[in-house]
Amino acid sequence: MTERGAEILSGIDWRPVGSRIEEAARGRRPAVLSTHVNPDGDGLGSQLALRAFLRERGVDVRIVNNDPVHAKYAFLPGVEAVEVFDEARHAPLIASAALLFVLDNSSPERLGRLLPAARATGACKICIDHHVTVDPFWDLNCIDTEASASGQLVYEMVLALGGRITAAMAEPLYVSFVTDTGHFRFGKTTARVHRIIADLMDAGPISPPRVYRSLFEGVPPGLNRLVALALADTHYEYGGRFAWARLTLEQLRANGGPDEDTGDLVNMLLAVKGVEAAALFKELPEGRTKVSLRSLGDVDIHALAESLGGGGHRNASGITMAAPLGEGVRRVVDGMRGVLGA
């Protein structure tokens, strides 16, 4: 363990996790790693880094997710190991596993199609996350809401258990931080975070320009059209303190589909002068609505998201509502009145 690594370890007691890892290695039983539906850079980066660490400890590891890897993450080392859940193949695997790690997701419902298999397994279920929710579904909850990314917790776990950061872990963990700190511009981007990034770059190889191009550039033309459609229809509420925009299912289908990654669009709304909170609404099939919420400073949007069936952080939360687009907009706009004290 490096001096710098020892300096920045969190307060989580990782020893129970270490004991479970040792038991899995001795018993030659597999570990399964998963994350939330539509995995992002933090979920994937955490999984890939943890996979590398567990393999070093002699554990057979499989990564099984509800959804395929988005094309922009295809450059990550080890990403070819990610499997998309198939009940016939993966339910028996999860049933026989010694460990089920779920990263960047403390809500069982966000496992998607994996949830029945996760409920049925006798594996030790370990949650590693930086979101607020703590659910008794997990046997071990390794949660630190002060961490800037779940990848930060994987980094600290590796060091706490006597491991070292290898090249196979470095770039995936770097992507975890890049994703969940908004490329190092959000409030939890601390000196501690930058010390970790220095360690990752020493372990390397990491090319920040290549990572940036892969994650934020080379977007399809359809995404630019969606950005134009949303920005042209931006609405301002409560004296301009809350901005929101919407994308209909028809617009999405004409420009890449409902799964098109529009995650950064809500940040464009938040960048407008005087705006303290913003929301992007996406109409989904079967009368559902997806909402991305962002806010600045002390404007806490997490409680509103949670009250509407979602979750996340103080300044970044999301909701998938069983309500049509218009109803979803109404509920969030009305709820923001209380959030902003308007």
Side-chain angles (χ1 to χ4, degrees):
M1 185 184 298
T2 66
E3 287 186 8
R4 183 183 290 129
E7 175 191 351
I8 62 176
L9 290 177
S10 74
I12 293 176
D13 183 359
W14 293 104
R15 289 173 296 180
V17 178
S19 297
R20 296 288 189 164
I21 291 171
E22 291 173 6
E23 290 172 11
R26 286 197 302 268
R28 298 186 179 279
R29 295 177 62 201
V32 176
L33 314 185
S34 195
T35 185
H36 49 78
V37 296
N38 300 316
D40 60 6
D42 191 18
L44 286 168
S46 300
Q47 287 180 300
L48 294 171
L50 180 56
R51 173 179 179 264
F53 174 68
L54 293 177
R55 293 179 75 189
E56 286 189 350
R57 294 298 171 100
V59 179
D60 178 31
V61 189
R62 302 273 291 275
I63 297 177
V64 183
N65 290 340
N66 186 78
D67 300 292
V69 174
H70 192 282
K72 68 182 179 180
Y73 300 116
F75 72 97
L76 283 168
V79 75
E80 67 280 355
V82 178
E83 305 172 45
V84 178
F85 180 76
D86 172 81
E87 185 174 2
R89 282 197 305 135
H90 295 117
L93 169 68
I94 295 171
S96 67
L99 303 171
L100 174 62
F101 283 92
V102 175
L103 297 114
D104 198 41
N105 175 29
S106 48
S107 173
E109 289 71 22
R110 296 195 71 213
L111 285 171
R113 292 175 294 120
L114 276 78
L115 181 55
R119 289 192 189 281
T121 186
C124 178
K125 297 185 284 291
I126 303 172
C127 174
I128 299 177
D129 194 16
H130 65 133
H131 295 91
V132 174
T133 305
V134 178
D135 197 297
F137 179 80
W138 314 108
D139 298 309
L140 295 174
N141 270 295
C142 304
I143 294 177
D144 182 356
T145 59
E146 293 304 308
S148 64
S150 294
Q152 180 173 338
L153 301 181
V154 173
Y155 172 91
E156 295 184 347
M157 185 195 76
V158 169
L159 296 184
L161 297 181
R164 63 185 183 88
I165 302 301
T166 64
M169 303 175 200
E171 192 167 49
L173 290 177
Y174 180 81
V175 168
S176 291
F177 283 97
V178 167
T179 302
D180 267 31
T181 63
H183 213 89
F184 309 110
R185 73 184 192 273
F186 294 161
K188 290 181 182 177
T189 307
T190 60
R192 178 185 184 188
V193 166
H194 285 296
R195 286 195 293 269
I196 295 173
I197 296 302
D199 278 351
L200 297 180
M201 295 191 73
D202 285 343
I206 297 171
S207 169
R210 183 174 72 96
V211 171
Y212 187 88
R213 286 195 301 270
S214 297
L215 297 184
F216 303 110
E217 296 178 346
V219 300
L223 180 57
N224 273 353
R225 287 193 289 269
L226 289 173
V227 169
L229 289 167
L231 294 182
D233 188 44
T234 302
H235 299 256
Y236 297 92
E237 311 282 351
Y238 310 121
R241 297 170 64 195
F242 177 54
W244 62 269
R246 63 193 158 196
L247 291 168
T248 67
L249 187 55
E250 181 180 357
Q251 289 170 331
L252 290 162
R253 283 174 170 161
N255 295 284
D259 294 330
E260 185 62 69
D261 185 2
T262 55
D264 206 45
L265 207 164
V266 68
N267 294 318
M268 297 181 188
L269 303 177
L270 193 62
V272 175
K273 184 177 180 179
V275 172
E276 300 172 29
L280 174 66
F281 300 87
K282 290 173 65 174
E283 185 179 22
L284 300 179
E286 301 172 355
R288 296 172 298 133
T289 301
K290 182 175 181 179
V291 190
S292 297
L293 285 166
R294 299 291 185 272
S295 68
L296 299 175
D298 293 331
V299 179
D300 187 349
I301 52 175
H302 176 259
L304 174 61
E306 197 168 46
S307 73
L308 295 172
H313 307 282
R314 168 189 288 268
N315 298 123
S317 290
I319 317 162
T320 299
M321 305 171 67
L325 181 61
E327 178 66 14
V329 170
R330 185 193 64 77
R331 291 183 189 178
V332 173
V333 171
D334 287 353
M336 284 303 303
R337 183 184 302 276
V339 172
L340 295 171

